Structure formats: structure tokens, C-alpha cells
Amino acid sequence: MTMTRRILLGLAAGAICATAATAQEVTLRLHQFLPAQSTVPAQILDVWADRVEADSNGRIRIERYPSMQLGGTPPQLIDQVIDGVADIVWTVAGYTPGRFPQLEVFELPFISPDAEATSRAYWQLAEARMMDSDFADFKPLGLWVHGPGVIHANRPIVEVSDLRGLKLRAPSRTTTTLFTNLGATSVGMPVPAVPESLSRGVIESAVIPWEVMPSLKVEELVSNHTEFTGNALYTLAFIFAMNTDSYAALPDDLKAVIDANSGLEFSAFAGRTQQAADGPARALAEARGNTIITLDAEQTAAWAAAAAPTIDAWIAEADAAGIDGTGLYRDAVALIAANNGAN
């Protein structure tokens, strides 16, 4: 080999090393509480992670940890992403009651006509009011709600009075207040605890959307399901978030990949996808011969009237705490309506 060729090869090798060093590779840990095959991990979080990996040409790798495999409990997820135990988490805001008071507006009864419209409104209102307050300690990647909440119980629930004394699992502070006000004995717990609690009789009912039911096998544990006409009985607000230091450490081009796959349109996709999974899950309950009670518009209106004081109380409490419950509710309703009309 000539001296000239050795020099040229050495320079080429150096260029390759320099390029490799410039093309920084990053591994991010994504932690969440549901089994990997559940709707949100399989159809939303994996889709997001796969797109990020592809758009970064493999320079970002997302390690996925379902079912709390990195340790801790679901209510600890939000602190895990703040503290860097995980780089990214998906969690239920209501698992830490009172910590995110403004977004509770989207969990109020009979406010959501459609998960996509409400998810768009959630992101938009968060950008306007919450990023420097509720979400100041992490970087939101997506904010969305699920489809209509359904009552799954060991006995038929038709009238509001049927809730009286029923031991019912509620997922958040807002829903716990709602069902307590409607006469149930509300029990707060993360959704992974529902199957065992139903089988042991700790609870007799749970409120969850249809789509999460199959991963918990709720249709095998109770045989009555009550759904509503029109706006949802309730929805639950989710947070998909990234550690601020993990994001800040990325080179600008990889930050751009994260940003391009996150935000308003991703939130809308997540809400839409989650609600679309309701139908196949509902069919499982039908196939078992379970009783599905669909309340008509008049029956639903009676429930909405009974739930109205819960909304009024939330607005008054938020106003008293200085977070403008009146304005939040007004703006949330207007944004939901605008987005629902645009769908």
C-alpha cells in the first residue's frame, strides 16, 4: 500500500468516526402501567415510538417498559419522569389527585361528545393556560382523553338511584366526587387493581371505557354494562410526558423529531384511536351474553341533571383556589364544540 493510499484511508476513517460522533445516538426509556398488548401501548405509544425511531434513522431508540417494569406504582409515574427514573411516561393525571387542577375540567361529567374533539381542546387549552403551571416540571408530548366512560357492575344500573351504596371504583378525584355525589360508595384506585378488587368483592363496579376492558377481563367479572347517549358520562385526562433534561440533552435535529411526532395532532390521534377501540371491546361483552344497557337521551338527561351540581361545585372550588374555574369551564366547552364541529 502506498503512503498516499494509507493517508487517504486514514482520513476516510477519521471522517467516518467524526460523522458517527456527530450522529449522536440516544436511548430513551418509556414507562407506563398497562400490559404491552393493551390499546394505548400497542396502538398509540408503540406507534409514536416506532415513528420517532424511523424518523431519526435509528438514532433514537425507545425502550418500552409496560406494567410498571421499572418499578414503583402508577401514581409515582409523574415523579419518575420529573426525577429522571424514566425518560418518558404515560399516566393518568388523576392518579395524583389535586396535582393538576386545571385539566380536571376535561374530566367533568357530560362535557365530552367525542374523544378526538376533546383531546384537541385539551391540548389547546393546555397551551393557553397550563404549560407554565400544571406542566412546568416536564415536557408534555401528548394530552388526550379516552372515549365515553361506561359503568360495569354486578347488577343493572339504569337510574341514578341504582348507584346508592354501590362500591364503585373511580379513577380520579373528579370522578370520585361525581359518583359519591350520585350516591355510590366511591373507591379510588389505579386501573390495574380493578380485576383483583372485583374478584375479591372490594368493589362491585368500575367505571372505565370499553377499550380497556379486555386487558382487565372485566367482562368476565361483571355481567352488566351501562352506556349513555350523547355526551360521555365522564372522561379521563392522560399525560404523555418527557423528562426536561432528557429532551434538553438531545441535539437540535433529534429534538425536531420528538416535536414533529408530538403535540396537537398526536393528541388528536391518541384520543381518536382510543375511542375507536371501544367497539371491538364492547363486542366481547355482547359475545358473552352480558347485559348492555344503553340509556336513551331522556334517561341520560336525568343523569346529567343529577351530575350538574358536581360541575358547579368544581367551578366554585377552582375559582376559590384562584385558578379561574369559570373561565376554564367556559373555554373548555367552547374549544370542544369548535373541534367537534370541525371533525
Side-chain angles (χ1 to χ4, degrees):
M1 182 183 298
T2 67
M3 180 68 70
T4 301
R5 189 178 180 196
R6 280 199 300 269
I7 291 171
L8 289 173
L9 287 174
L11 289 171
I16 291 170
C17 290
T19 301
T22 302
Q24 179 179 337
E25 295 184 359
V26 179
T27 298
L28 301 173
R29 297 156 299 165
L30 193 167
H31 199 203
Q32 55 87 22
F33 58 88
L34 284 179
Q37 70 273 17
S38 299
T39 300
V40 171
Q43 298 184 33
I44 298 173
L45 304 183
D46 280 350
V47 170
W48 180 88
D50 290 346
R51 287 174 179 169
V52 165
E53 289 179 339
D55 290 354
S56 69
N57 295 317
R59 290 171 55 209
I60 297 177
R61 185 164 69 93
I62 309 292
E63 291 182 347
R64 302 138 203 224
Y65 295 92
S67 302
M68 301 305 300
Q69 288 180 351
L70 288 179
T73 63
Q76 294 172 331
L77 280 165
I78 203 67
D79 282 323
Q80 288 185 354
V81 80
I82 292 170
D83 297 339
V85 173
D87 300 293
I88 301 166
V89 302
W90 172 69
T91 190
V92 173
Y95 285 173
T96 49
R99 189 159 182 175
F100 305 104
Q102 296 183 86
L103 63 77
E104 289 180 349
V105 69
F106 293 104
E107 298 181 336
L108 292 173
F110 300 104
I111 194 175
S112 176
D114 171 83
E116 179 177 352
T118 305
S119 297
R120 286 183 180 276
Y122 178 12
W123 182 271
Q124 290 164 343
L125 194 59
E127 281 198 314
R129 289 178 173 256
M130 304 178 200
M131 293 303 185
D132 295 329
S133 52
D134 288 37
F135 303 139
D137 293 331
F138 49 81
K139 176 180 174 60
L141 302 174
L143 304 168
W144 69 90
V145 302
H146 59 54
V150 177
I151 302 173
H152 309 268
N154 64 1
R155 62 178 187 256
I157 304 296
V158 179
E159 308 290 340
V160 174
S161 59
D162 294 332
L163 290 178
R164 191 168 298 125
L166 183 74
K167 292 184 289 185
L168 178 146
R169 175 265 178 180
S172 66
R173 187 183 84 94
T174 318
T175 53
T176 298
T177 301
L178 168 66
F179 289 106
T180 298
N181 290 347
L182 295 180
T185 301
S186 298
V187 182
M189 66 178 66
V191 76
V194 166
E196 182 179 359
S197 297
L198 281 171
S199 63
R200 291 175 51 203
V202 174
I203 55 175
E204 304 163 294
S205 174
V207 289
I208 55 174
W210 283 114
E211 58 83 15
V212 79
M213 184 186 70
S215 63
L216 305 174
K217 301 190 183 303
V218 169
E219 75 279 10
E220 299 176 14
L221 297 168
V222 300
S223 57
N224 298 277
H225 314 271
T226 302
E227 56 186 12
F228 296 76
T229 295
N231 285 9
L233 169 66
Y234 82 97
T235 54
L236 200 59
F238 300 109
I239 298 172
F240 185 46
M242 186 171 182
N243 175 271
T244 54
D245 291 336
S246 298
Y247 179 78
L250 296 175
D252 288 345
D253 61 334
L254 294 188
K255 287 178 183 173
V257 170
I258 296 291
D259 292 344
N261 285 283
S262 306
L264 176 63
E265 292 305 323
F266 172 70
S267 300
F269 158 78
R272 179 173 68 248
T273 301
Q274 204 162 347
Q275 183 162 338
D278 285 342
R282 186 182 188 277
L284 294 177
E286 287 183 301
R288 288 187 64 86
N290 289 4
T291 300
I292 298 178
I293 301 161
T294 303
L295 301 185
D296 62 25
E298 183 178 354
Q299 291 170 310
T300 299
W303 280 75
T310 298
I311 299 175
D312 294 339
W314 183 88
I315 292 171
E317 179 186 1
D319 282 343
I323 61 170
D324 187 22
T326 300
L328 281 166
Y329 185 75
R330 179 198 63 231
D331 292 351
V333 169
L335 284 167
I336 291 169
N339 283 291
N340 195 41
N343 284 350

